[in-house]
Amino acid sequence: MVVLGVVVSPQAQHILLSIPTKIPPQYCTRRKALIFTSSLFSSFIYTSHHSPATAFQIEMPQQEEDRLVHLFQETSPSVVFIKDLELAKGSNDSTKVLADDENAKVEGTGSGFIWDKFGHIVTNYHVIAKLATDNIGLQRCKVSLVNAKGESIVKDAKIVGVDPAYDLAVLKVDIEGVEVKPVSVGTSRGLRVGQSCFAIGNPYGFENTLTTGVVSGLGREIPAPNGAAIKGAIQTDAAINAGNSGGPLIDSSGHVIGVNTATFTLRGSGMSSGVNFAIPIDTVVRTIPYLIVYGTSYKDRY
């Protein structure tokens, strides 16, 4: 606990400063704000240029910033940008499809992440729902990703498997001769409300966007695309907007703890309210292998 008190009068100044031996990192930002709002306060306490307290105050926020930058640099190469396209029909033949991306209309965008070195991509089912239900061959899916050298490449993606009940899907891109970086899969077991988490995705088409927040709640229930309920969802205040769907929610160690899926919005506003949800990674780990091997979830096979 940190207690800072100031009583200033024309005759005397009395300052009480009580800190533990080691200041918890979560208090550093607030402590800095309290100290430097008053020049009298800061000059009275930190009279020495080499004060250990001053060095600690400067060093800790810088370490936190460097850690966050490193976290993004290590995890963002595993995140992909998914673009849904609808091909145009030939002007003289309504049954002829023009297989030209330049004539394609962008139906929507989303996010995903590289699951393994074989080119499997995990995303939300609702991100590729039109492709999954396309009966006339008009829908296409393009995935933008980076290789191990940091070079951006675009690949056509095919659906491997879907599970609308959990709003999950697996895509496959041909990465022959391309080295990619799969995500580091964590666990959602043992998550605590208040711990830091980070979302990486492509909100409104802005690629590789990082937002930060905390785990706001656990065990939430959100609707699935097929009308069922997804139980055990993670609630977070890390901003999730249109285009973030399918991207990873990661912890402070860079491990994926969830798949960003939904945000609560006020009707008509279209804006995130700070109440956002992710499918827990433990659910994903149980589901994805069946989608890769069988194309459907375990429960739908029987």
Side-chain angles (χ1 to χ4, degrees):
M1 178 178 182
V2 178
V3 180
L4 296 174
V6 182
V7 178
V8 180
S9 67
Q11 292 78 22
Q13 295 87 22
H14 175 69
I15 298 179
L16 171 64
L17 171 62
S18 175
I19 60 176
T21 303
K22 182 178 180 181
I23 301 177
Q26 61 266 35
Y27 291 117
C28 289
T29 303
R30 178 163 175 76
R31 181 167 177 258
K32 182 176 179 181
L34 288 171
I35 289 175
F36 289 101
T37 49
S38 167
S39 59
L40 170 64
F41 198 2
S42 60
S43 62
F44 192 89
I45 295 178
Y46 303 118
T47 55
S48 171
H49 178 70
H50 301 288
S51 167
T54 305
F56 178 84
Q57 184 65 37
I58 294 173
E59 182 181 3
M60 288 303 292
Q62 185 61 50
Q63 288 179 345
E64 176 66 18
E65 182 177 288
D66 291 343
R67 185 188 65 81
L68 188 54
V69 170
H70 178 73
L71 180 71
F72 176 76
Q73 291 174 339
E74 286 295 310
T75 55
S76 60
S78 303
V79 182
V80 305
F81 180 29
I82 299 173
K83 186 180 293 186
D84 295 322
L85 304 174
E86 182 177 322
L87 300 179
K89 292 182 179 180
S91 56
N92 298 324
D93 184 356
S94 61
T95 62
K96 182 182 179 181
V97 177
L98 299 179
D100 185 353
D101 292 344
E102 293 183 0
N103 295 319
K105 180 175 67 173
V106 178
E107 287 289 301
T109 60
S111 305
F113 52 87
I114 302 171
W115 183 255
D116 56 31
K117 63 181 180 180
F118 304 109
H120 290 112
I121 308 292
V122 172
T123 187
N124 283 134
Y125 169 79
H126 73 258
V127 171
I128 51 85
K130 286 192 174 182
L131 178 62
T133 56
D134 178 27
N135 295 319
I136 56 177
L138 287 178
Q139 300 296 321
R140 295 290 186 274
C141 181
K142 294 285 186 178
V143 172
S144 299
L145 64 156
V146 296
N147 59 21
K149 299 179 181 179
E151 301 167 333
S152 180
I153 56 178
V154 179
K155 295 283 187 177
D156 288 310
K158 303 295 183 183
I159 293 179
V160 172
V162 297
D163 186 358
Y166 281 117
D167 200 2
L168 292 172
V170 177
L171 303 175
K172 178 77 162 58
V173 296
D174 180 9
I175 57 169
E176 183 178 356
V178 179
E179 185 179 353
V180 294
K181 184 178 182 180
V183 294
S184 176
V185 177
T187 179
S188 48
R189 188 183 306 109
L191 289 179
R192 297 165 297 165
V193 173
Q195 76 176 75
S196 298
C197 60
F198 311 90
I200 302 179
N202 311 285
Y204 303 111
F206 293 104
E207 297 184 55
N208 277 332
T209 296
L210 170 71
T211 56
T212 65
V214 298
V215 174
S216 306
L218 297 167
R220 305 306 195 208
E221 187 174 298
I222 59 176
N226 67 348
I230 303 174
K231 298 181 179 180
I234 302 167
Q235 180 185 334
T236 177
D237 66 347
I240 296 175
N241 292 287
N244 271 115
S245 291
L249 185 70
I250 61 179
D251 63 14
S252 299
S253 299
H255 300 136
V256 177
I257 58 174
V259 179
N260 300 320
T261 299
T263 182
F264 178 83
T265 60
L266 297 176
R267 186 179 298 276
S269 70
M271 298 176 62
S272 173
S273 62
V275 181
N276 311 299
F277 303 96
I279 300 169
I281 194 64
D282 288 356
T283 299
V284 179
V285 169
R286 289 194 302 267
T287 305
I288 295 305
Y290 286 101
L291 299 187
I292 292 176
V293 175
Y294 302 108
T296 186
S297 63
Y298 177 82
K299 62 180 178 300
D300 290 336
R301 292 177 54 218
Y302 303 100

